Amino acid sequence: GLFVMTPESQKKFSLEERQYLVLRLQKAAHNCLSASPEAATRVATTVLIPSSSAGALTDAESNDYEESRKSLGPVTLLKKVRIKLGSQYENFHDCLAKALADIPAEFVNKSKEPPDLIYKSYDLSNYEEVAFIRSLIYLQMLDIGDDNREDWMRRYIAEGDAKKRMFLLKNAQYRALWLDPAIIPIWNYDVSAIIRRPWTLNFSPLSFYNLFYQVRYGTEGRTPSGI
């Protein structure tokens, strides 16, 4: 689960203000999660791509990311930030509102005013599926900068060196997370898949959005994993 900044809010708030919102929303959400029964099924996060997926940050990269976050100086937020959490998460409303009481935050679930931040829930596991990566780019959850989307995808697909592909993917994630924030990841869901041999999973074992007919009978194939 994550908050997505609308295109209007990315213009409304400066880079430092958006980085500040990233830190404040994540801290508030993580504290509220730790005090909730939901902690049994959700894991707090500050990144888009889970550690079990292609494109995940290494330990060294994660440390650099955290140091960059810590280096943000004092920020005073004067503009109102409108947050749409979604009716299914209203149990977090009171806790989040209390945690953000010192900044001009307003929850607009039932308001006609356009939100600045919208909560979204996506399956974010990744085995380098082209369709999945393309969808994240079009949803602006990966930031490829000034590159043309299709040109970037062609370059990614054509790159035979896995390390160079991961470099492209990690850069796109890091831009969206921090260098030019457009998303605020707050938690992942714990998901697992169980299958009995000799049946095999003929799709990404990290994804739970799969149709039954994609399960194949055989002696070879991928083994299930979970996030």
Side-chain angles (χ1 to χ4, degrees), residues 6 9 12 32 48 63 88 94 102 124 127 161 169:
T6 65
S9 70
K12 174 180 175 180
C32 292
L48 177 69
N63 290 336
Q88 69 271 40
D94 291 345
D102 61 321
L124 295 172
Y127 260 7
D161 188 322
L169 193 57

Side-chain angles (χ1 to χ4, degrees), residues 106-124:
E106 177 185 4
F107 289 85
V108 294
N109 286 8
K110 300 178 181 179
S111 172
K112 293 182 179 180
E113 286 190 76
D116 298 307
L117 305 177
I118 305 173
Y119 179 83
K120 298 286 186 179
S121 182
Y122 291 104
D123 176 18
L124 295 172

Side-chain angles (χ1 to χ4, degrees), residues 10 22-23 62 104 114 122 151 153 201 212:
Q10 292 178 50
V22 169
L23 299 180
S62 295
Y122 291 104
D151 288 345
M153 282 303 308
L201 297 181
F212 181 74

Side-chain angles (χ1 to χ4, degrees), residues 2-158:
L2 72 162
F3 287 101
V4 177
M5 299 184 184
T6 65
E8 293 76 17
S9 70
Q10 292 178 50
K11 298 175 182 177
K12 174 180 175 180
F13 299 103
S14 69
L15 170 61
E16 291 76 15
E17 288 172 332
R18 282 182 285 137
Q19 289 176 332
Y20 177 73
L21 285 171
V22 169
L23 299 180
R24 288 302 307 271
L25 262 293
Q26 286 175 340
K27 181 178 180 180
H30 294 170
N31 287 341
C32 292
L33 175 63
S34 66
S36 165
E38 301 279 357
T41 57
R42 303 182 196 188
V43 180
T45 188
T46 61
V47 297
L48 177 69
I49 299 176
S51 59
S52 53
S53 296
L57 301 180
T58 64
D59 289 343
E61 291 165 342
S62 295
N63 290 336
D64 290 343
Y65 173 47
E66 288 303 321
E67 288 302 315
S68 296
R69 288 158 54 90
K70 292 176 183 177
S71 68
L72 181 66
V75 176
T76 300
L77 191 65
L78 299 177
K79 302 166 192 168
K80 181 182 292 185
V81 54
R82 297 185 294 270
I83 304 169
K84 185 172 183 179
L85 186 58
S87 58
Q88 69 271 40
Y89 297 104
E90 285 187 350
N91 54 320
F92 285 101
H93 174 275
D94 291 345
C95 182
L96 285 174
K98 184 177 180 181
L100 300 172
D102 61 321
I103 65 173
E106 177 185 4
F107 289 85
V108 294
N109 286 8
K110 300 178 181 179
S111 172
K112 293 182 179 180
E113 286 190 76
D116 298 307
L117 305 177
I118 305 173
Y119 179 83
K120 298 286 186 179
S121 182
Y122 291 104
D123 176 18
L124 295 172
S125 56
N126 174 35
Y127 260 7
E128 291 199 84
E129 297 94 342
V130 172
F132 169 79
I133 295 172
R134 178 179 279 112
S135 68
L136 290 188
I137 292 172
Y138 273 81
L139 290 167
Q140 297 183 322
M141 293 166 63
L142 288 176
D143 185 350
I144 59 173
D146 296 329
D147 284 355
N148 175 274
R149 294 167 179 170
E150 292 307 314
D151 288 345
W152 189 95
M153 282 303 308
R154 279 193 288 269
R155 189 164 73 253
Y156 180 87
I157 293 169

